[in-house]
Amino acid sequence: MHARRFVAKMLAVVLVLGLLAACAPAAAPTGAPAELTKPPVTAATAAPAEAKTPAAKKYPPIVVAIWSGPEHDNLVKTAAEYEKATGNKVTIEEIARESYHDKLTAVFLAGSGDYDVAYVSADWTPEWVKAETLMPFDTFISDKAVASPTLNLDLLRPGVDSLTFDGKVYGYPSEGDTAWLFYRKDLFEAKGLAVPQTWDEFLAAAQALNNPPDLYGALIGAKPDEAAWDFMHYFYAFGGQVVDKNWKVTVNNEAGVRALTFYSELLTKYKVVPPDVATYGYNEILTALQEGKVAMGIEWMAATQDLQDCSKSPKVCKDGQPQLEYTLVPGLKGADGKVSRGQGASQWGWVIPKATKNAEAAYKFVEWLTSHDGAKIWALNGGIPSNTEALADPDVVAKVPQFKLLAEAMPYRHLFPNTTVTTDMWNAFNDAINQTVAGAKTPQQALDEAAAKMTEALAKGGYTK
Amino acid sequence: MRLQRATAARQGRRGWLRRLEPVFYIAPAFLVLAAILAYPLGYSFWLSFHEWTLRGFRQGVPWVGLDNYVGLFSNVEFVSSLRVTFTFMAGALTLEFLFGMALALLLDHDLKGRGLMRSLILLPMMCTNVVIGLTWRLLFNYNFGLVNYYLVRLGLAPVEWLSKPAMALPSVIIVDVWNTTSFVALLLLAGLQALPEEPFEAARIDGASWWQVFRYLTLPLLRPTILVALLWRIIDTFRIFDVVYLLTAGGPARASETVSIYVYRYGFQTFNLGFASAASYMMILIMLIMAVVLARLIGRSEA
């Protein structure tokens, strides 16, 4: 009897403690998780709207979802210009990169209408289109009262094709991104090293500059949910191919295995990259480059502005001059002495979830953002527009020198296959890289397993029998 | 006579009303619970026998029988996530009970500032898991983290806390021990203070050593408390998600992928909801078995 009362008391204590723990957030220490839950930034606060074009139609405020990083910072600035021009309010919600795709999918499926516009990778969209969660743009395009008279989809090619399914347009493109090899000009000059054009030169330079733990020669990324984004440049540069014409998975062919072997051996054999690269994704790579921890590394070109801005990256600047230069991703030297190249690419765009209550307002914003005017502002703020007219705009060409290199890189860019089972394929691929770099599997083993999973996914998606 | 019958009828009516009365009080809570608990539970049970994918569910959700469950056990990653979860549970619980018991014994003495100390050790428990995960991710950062900074200052080699497969799970265990040892200590302390004085006095008179008192008196008398704390912590550690997700996201190379991370991966990354539901039901089943066994033990120690 005594014991029973005692146990009851104990349970009461436990319950009270549980409650206490649940109420704790108010008492949580400072240094809150800025990374995960930043309050939404209202572009209006960044730059108050002034002159409103009288012709612009008034629309209700909209919410735009975007992942954290340079694209978010750019959107804050660019959307402020839209607000100034039209008087329509845009609220921007920043979401952590690693959970961005999952969060969007959950919100779209829930049909909650939280977001009116979302910034997405084109290869995520087929699945969402199948799930009937995205709004086709066609009704707006054909409606003369809504679509801008200057709208010309041809200017958005080839980007817009990645967002078109069964003849319907589901988004307008921005950020036809690819990567550069960023290298420290000062360190290369001090050692009299040439800028690497091939992987042999890349490795030789990395070894020559490697001086751990103060400086590492190079850098790779193998974070569990992001590894494929960083590996794909090596993969395509070594001649890798995800699928062939008949949808046969070829990630584990000789070129793929060679690429992953080289990639993982930078850590395991040559030790020219920081030892903790298994936790590196876009942000960690950016930080390592900015902190001057590495002599070179491959990073998305969207990061160029951050890396060359001496107020953002003071440690890699000398006398106010940025020391991180960029060039094409290295390639393989053929028997004829020519360098064959390849590098990963991604096509992003703006989509409108079906559940939005402000579809027209959302469409008008997307249309403006990808028009010559909007895309030009996007480019001048550090973005990579997919509007060919904006890319060729004299102001843009003069102010954004990397677009010259982008034109050169165009033929080498490879996009990951855009299918309804891309998420499954992507995750399998990701896994293989993370597992290999962490030393849990050999490149061949890991890629064989990935190939098996990708083949199964493609069969399930109806691409093969 | 007539009066009597009328009274009886009135009483009967009133009795009927009285019997119905509790329904009014309970119904709102019951309905809310049913909506937020029973419906999802039922729906996910139904899902676990169907194939639900993002690309296919608009065309229909076909019945696949036990396929999801069969697939689960032939999936090496699921088995590995179970192994990781139990390793985590064993490691964390052992350390938490060792340190918790030591702390409880210490605080059971008449120390100066005992009240203050007791509140201080509760601090880690007051933090939300997201804050804990992010803070420790920074502390454990290989290049810029404070932990490695002090290790190097002490002349030791920096440790790859989160990037080495062999270290990832121990790192998560360290954080969990830091977080919840005080909870275990508090429970054990409450138990210690509720123990009767007489057996201890008798033992002291008989000349029992400290160890003998602890081993043959304190521990057996504390058994119900320990079991309650154990039940609570087993349930908590088995379903751990947020701290692991923030620290390592289950990596590297799935070395710290617990069952809930596995379920998350299938449920919310690839949206294979049927399969993820089956995995969740396996989780519930395993948890239920452990809870029933422990509840039995608690009941037995009560008698």
Side-chain angles (χ1 to χ4, degrees), chain A residues 17 38 47 69 99 180 234 269 326 335 349 402:
Chain A
L17 283 177
K38 277 194 187 161
S99 50
W180 303 138
Y234 293 75
K269 186 171 168 190
Y326 52 85
Q402 67 169 340

Side-chain angles (χ1 to χ4, degrees), chain A residues 62-182:
Chain A
I62 54 166
V63 180
V64 182
I66 190 161
W67 72 358
S68 65
E71 302 97 324
H72 162 265
D73 305 345
N74 186 342
L75 185 63
V76 171
K77 289 186 250 172
T78 307
E81 296 292 326
Y82 174 74
E83 291 188 333
K84 224 191 281 180
T86 63
N88 294 324
K89 200 166 140 40
V90 178
T91 303
I92 295 155
E93 196 160 315
E94 181 182 12
I95 301 166
R97 287 174 100 91
E98 54 260 51
S99 50
Y100 185 59
H101 167 262
D102 313 343
K103 168 145 190 181
L104 283 186
T105 313
V107 169
F108 291 172
L109 270 180
S112 68
D114 285 359
Y115 307 131
D116 302 302
V117 175
Y119 173 73
V120 304
S121 176
D123 51 28
W124 298 343
T125 49
E127 217 174 2
W128 290 339
V129 168
K130 275 270 182 194
E132 298 172 20
T133 57
L134 297 183
M135 183 171 285
F137 283 13
D138 299 62
T139 45
F140 303 119
I141 296 173
S142 56
D143 187 343
K144 292 248 159 40
V146 179
S148 156
T150 57
L151 176 71
N152 180 359
L153 287 188
D154 286 336
L155 298 180
L156 299 177
R157 281 182 223 291
V160 73
D161 300 330
S162 303
L163 294 155
T164 306
F165 305 98
D166 299 327
K168 282 186 187 154
V169 176
Y170 284 89
Y172 287 166
S174 258
E175 296 292 296
D177 208 353
T178 185
W180 303 138
L181 169 68
F182 287 91

Side-chain angles (χ1 to χ4, degrees), chain B residues 19-54:
Chain B
R19 249 178 288 130
L20 211 64
E21 198 183 304
V23 174
F24 287 102
Y25 300 131
I26 298 169
F30 179 80
L31 286 177
V32 169
L33 261 183
I36 63 174
L37 209 74
Y39 173 71
L41 270 177
Y43 183 59
S44 57
F45 187 67
W46 179 85
L47 269 180
S48 74
F49 296 101
H50 292 77
E51 185 185 280
W52 194 108
T53 59
L54 196 54

Side-chain angles (χ1 to χ4, degrees), chain B residues 232-260:
Chain B
W232 197 265
R233 289 300 304 144
I234 281 182
I235 293 173
D236 261 1
T237 45
F238 190 73
R239 65 195 168 107
I240 187 162
F241 175 80
D242 30 22
V243 173
V244 185
Y245 184 74
L246 284 161
L247 279 176
T248 64
R254 308 226 174 293
S256 58
E257 183 169 279
T258 59
V259 188
S260 11

Side-chain angles (χ1 to χ4, degrees), chain B residues 5-298:
Chain B
R5 212 179 299 152
T7 320
R10 212 177 311 138
Q11 271 176 346
R13 212 178 304 139
R14 212 182 288 157
W16 178 78
L17 260 177
R18 193 165 295 159
R19 249 178 288 130
L20 211 64
E21 198 183 304
V23 174
F24 287 102
Y25 300 131
I26 298 169
F30 179 80
L31 286 177
V32 169
L33 261 183
I36 63 174
L37 209 74
Y39 173 71
L41 270 177
Y43 183 59
S44 57
F45 187 67
W46 179 85
L47 269 180
S48 74
F49 296 101
H50 292 77
E51 185 185 280
W52 194 108
T53 59
L54 196 54
R55 61 179 173 273
F57 82 100
R58 293 285 181 192
Q59 282 78 47
V61 182
W63 161 267
V64 293
L66 285 171
D67 276 11
N68 287 332
Y69 289 93
V70 173
L72 209 53
F73 282 98
S74 55
N75 186 323
V76 278
E77 288 166 10
F78 180 69
V79 180
S80 138
S81 76
L82 274 178
R83 194 172 49 230
V84 168
T85 308
F86 281 112
T87 314
F88 168 74
M89 190 188 283
L93 291 187
T94 310
L95 291 175
E96 279 161 24
F97 274 84
L98 277 178
F99 292 142
M101 182 60 90
L103 265 177
L105 288 172
L106 204 68
L107 289 172
D108 195 30
H109 287 288
D110 270 326
L111 295 171
K112 259 199 185 145
R114 191 172 63 169
L116 182 72
M117 265 194 276
R118 221 182 289 171
S119 351
L120 277 183
I121 63 158
L122 282 182
L123 273 181
M125 220 181 72
M126 303 277 181
C127 305
T128 43
N129 285 350
V130 175
V131 174
I132 292 172
L134 285 170
T135 313
W136 277 94
R137 189 163 79 182
L138 285 174
L139 289 173
F140 275 150
N141 185 299
Y142 179 79
N143 280 312
F144 313 111
L146 269 184
V147 179
N148 275 354
Y149 172 78
Y150 282 112
L151 283 181
V152 172
R153 289 286 295 261
L154 289 171
L156 300 167
V159 177
E160 286 178 47
W161 295 105
L162 303 174
S163 53
K164 214 185 197 112
M167 268 318 287
L169 193 60
S171 301
V172 177
I173 291 178
I174 291 173
V175 175
D176 195 68
V177 169
W178 173 85
N179 181 11
T180 40
T181 296
S182 52
F183 171 74
V184 176
L186 204 72
L187 277 181
L188 295 179
L189 180 63
L192 279 175
Q193 291 184 338
L195 294 186
E197 272 293 318
E198 301 83 5
F200 289 91
E201 272 169 28
R204 234 172 285 139
I205 292 165
D206 288 346
S209 69
W210 178 86
W211 173 250
Q212 282 172 323
V213 171
F214 179 73
R215 171 73 186 78
Y216 296 105
L217 272 181
T218 316
L219 271 189
L221 284 172
L222 217 51
R223 197 177 127 103
T225 319
I226 294 176
L227 286 174
V228 169
L230 203 62
L231 174 65
W232 197 265
R233 289 300 304 144
I234 281 182
I235 293 173
D236 261 1
T237 45
F238 190 73
R239 65 195 168 107
I240 187 162
F241 175 80
D242 30 22
V243 173
V244 185
Y245 184 74
L246 284 161
L247 279 176
T248 64
R254 308 226 174 293
S256 58
E257 183 169 279
T258 59
V259 188
S260 11
I261 300 262
Y262 178 87
V263 171
Y264 173 81
R265 210 153 52 80
Y266 277 92
F268 294 100
Q269 281 187 338
T270 52
F271 277 86
N272 200 333
L273 290 187
F275 191 74
S277 299
S280 301
Y281 261 90
M282 282 322 298
M283 264 183 89
I284 292 187
L285 194 69
I286 294 169
M287 220 172 339
L288 215 61
I289 291 171
M290 290 190 299
V292 165
V293 169
L294 270 169
R296 279 262 171 91
L297 285 175
I298 294 175

